[in-house]
Amino acid sequence: MKNIVILISGGGSNMAAIVRTAERQNWAKRLNTRVSAVISNKADAEGLGLAKQHGIATAVIDHKAFASEPHPREAFGAALMTEIDHHQPHLVVLAGFMRILTPGFVAHYEGRLINIHPSLLPAFTGLNTHARAIEAGCKFAGATVHRVTAELDHGEILAQAVVPVLPDDTADTLAARVLTQEHLMYPKAVEELLAK
Ligand code: GAR
């Protein structure tokens, strides 16, 4: 069985799209795969409840708990790795996981760590992507599924979805239009990787 571990920080709608698609398309039987855990760095992440409803194991590794460590980011990453590795993942899926990962973490999961980013990479790495796309006068925006490397929001592009930027768009309306496409693209990209 190929285990998928999904990391979230908030709403978890991309995680939910993957879980629902896996159920609907019977990935367990068809692809010999399952979502075996959803892990959040925030205890109040809404997505955790939904994962539990689907019978998926959940865990919280709060990054703030490591603030007094000499190397907080490394300590958080090490604790996260321990939790993830309990599930012997074939694929680790970042779905709205809003922490920057250390090079050691990225190297540990090389070839099995992917992310979704709400822009057409390589444009607009980092935060506030939708406001920045509108500000730049872009006519199109979108989202990218990519392999994770030590450099933030870089790595091989696996899939992209494009949406128009409309004249009256705010960051919120554009984000909603992009998110709808993310929910279609991310499960498909995960499925394609698992089918390889
Ligand atoms: C999504 O739009 C995702 O692309 C973005 O956060 C949102 C999470 O929504 N990710 C990033 O910005 C990563 N840097 P969700 O929690 O409802 O899936």
Side-chain angles (χ1 to χ4, degrees):
M1 182 64 81
K2 295 176 184 169
N3 292 328
I4 304 169
V5 173
I6 305 182
L7 305 190
I8 65 169
S9 295
S13 67
N14 276 292
M15 176 275 295
I18 293 167
V19 166
R20 290 192 177 115
T21 304
E23 284 181 359
R24 204 169 49 239
Q25 299 183 353
N26 199 2
W27 285 5
K29 198 156 181 199
R30 204 159 57 80
L31 299 168
N32 191 33
T33 191
R34 60 169 182 172
V35 178
S36 44
V38 172
I39 303 171
S40 172
N41 64 307
K42 291 191 168 183
D44 61 356
E46 293 155 44
L48 289 171
L50 188 127
K52 282 182 195 149
Q53 281 169 25
H54 285 260
I56 298 167
T58 62
V60 176
I61 307 288
D62 185 349
H63 61 279
K64 292 199 190 115
F66 301 88
S68 60
E69 298 277 339
H71 301 287
R73 203 180 286 282
E74 283 71 16
F76 168 66
L80 192 57
M81 271 193 258
T82 301
E83 184 60 42
I84 294 170
D85 286 347
H86 282 150
H87 302 279
Q88 300 185 312
H90 180 84
L91 195 62
V92 178
V93 174
L94 307 181
F97 186 68
M98 303 305 280
R99 304 303 302 170
I100 292 174
L101 299 163
T102 62
F105 183 101
V106 172
H108 183 72
Y109 296 107
E110 193 185 347
R112 48 188 180 137
L113 182 60
I114 63 171
N115 180 44
I116 190 161
H117 180 75
S119 78
L120 294 172
L121 290 174
F124 307 121
T125 60
L127 297 174
N128 303 320
T129 54
H130 305 300
R132 288 158 62 207
I134 292 170
E135 174 66 25
C138 294
K139 301 296 180 203
F140 293 93
T144 303
V145 177
H146 65 99
R147 290 193 189 277
V148 176
T149 60
E151 197 177 350
L152 182 69
D153 299 330
H154 281 68
E156 181 192 352
I157 291 173
L158 299 172
Q160 285 189 311
V162 181
V163 303
V165 180
L166 302 180
D168 294 341
D169 264 337
T170 63
D172 286 346
T173 58
L174 180 56
R177 190 175 309 117
V178 171
L179 194 60
T180 305
Q181 294 306 311
E182 292 184 41
H183 296 163
L184 299 174
M185 171 172 63
Y186 213 5
K188 196 157 170 273
V190 168
E191 182 191 355
E192 281 169 10
L193 282 177
L194 290 162
K196 274 185 184 162

